[in-house]
Amino acid sequence: MEKFKENEITQYYYPGYMDDYDKIVQSYIKYYHIRAQKCKQFYYAFTIIKIALAASIPVLQMISVVKKYPVILAIVSAAIVVIESFLVMTRSVEKWSLFRNNCNRLLQIQRVNAIKCADSQSLTDEKRVYIQEVESVLDDEARRWYQLTHQQRKT
């Protein structure tokens, strides 16, 4: 069986795969990070366009463009509806949240594994407390992100 390729996400199991498993986990982390970024950029781009179109309606009415060309208002309004429907259909916010959460969870697992693989005798009590506090902050941030994104979807 072919060994793990650096930029390939795979789950090959072969003798000695644990040597490469960190690379596999790292590629998953990279994959989820890139997907989260793309979903975020997609969502922001279309939301900014939607806001700009909505803000243009009163301006168009004020400068009397709508009176001369009422089709412009219809086109702008239709574009807003299409963009909103497209954002709901693609569920980019939910995907962004999912990919970000998966990335954070994998990073946390990787950190915990790195700590356990280190010589546990060399860790002082202060170092253990430090590690626990850092992991607590990261876990709390991930939990708050999850609550924030799920709370927004309900409203």
Side-chain angles (χ1 to χ4, degrees):
M1 186 176 256
E2 186 180 338
K3 276 195 152 194
F4 171 75
K5 295 177 184 172
E6 190 163 351
N7 292 326
E8 182 180 349
I9 295 174
T10 180
Q11 294 183 11
Y12 291 159
Y13 295 96
Y14 53 89
Y17 79 93
M18 285 306 288
D19 298 335
D20 291 335
Y21 198 73
D22 264 347
K23 291 179 184 176
I24 294 170
V25 172
Q26 193 60 38
S27 66
Y28 275 113
I29 290 168
K30 185 177 179 181
Y31 169 79
Y32 284 125
H33 177 71
I34 289 169
R35 291 293 308 260
Q37 275 185 324
K38 287 182 181 179
C39 289
K40 177 183 176 181
Q41 291 167 353
F42 178 85
Y43 175 74
Y44 279 174
F46 279 100
T47 301
I48 288 169
I49 292 169
K50 183 178 76 172
I51 291 169
L53 288 172
S56 73
I57 292 173
V59 173
L60 292 172
Q61 287 178 332
M62 188 177 79
I63 60 174
S64 299
V65 172
V66 176
K67 289 181 185 175
K68 293 179 185 175
Y69 307 103
V71 72
I72 292 176
L73 183 61
I75 291 170
V76 169
S77 299
I80 292 170
V81 171
V82 167
I83 290 172
E84 180 61 30
S85 300
F86 191 65
L87 286 173
V88 169
M89 183 181 70
T90 58
R91 301 180 69 175
S92 57
V93 174
E94 289 87 352
K95 290 177 184 177
W96 169 25
S97 175
L98 175 69
F99 293 138
R100 185 178 188 276
N101 288 338
N102 285 346
C103 183
N104 286 345
R105 287 176 51 209
L106 286 172
L107 284 167
Q108 183 180 25
I109 292 167
Q110 193 178 50
R111 286 189 307 271
V112 168
N113 184 56
I115 293 164
K116 287 180 180 175
C117 289
D119 183 14
S120 59
Q121 302 299 326
S122 66
L123 291 177
T124 63
D125 288 338
E126 289 126 6
K127 198 64 150 175
R128 288 180 208 277
V129 169
Y130 171 71
I131 291 168
Q132 288 173 348
E133 287 179 6
V134 168
E135 290 301 320
S136 173
V137 167
L138 295 173
D139 188 47
D140 185 51
E141 187 273 337
R143 195 175 311 109
R144 287 182 187 200
W145 167 258
Y146 180 82
Q147 289 171 348
L148 178 68
T149 55
H150 284 76
Q151 185 180 40
Q152 285 178 346
R153 279 186 255 155
K154 291 178 184 175
T155 58

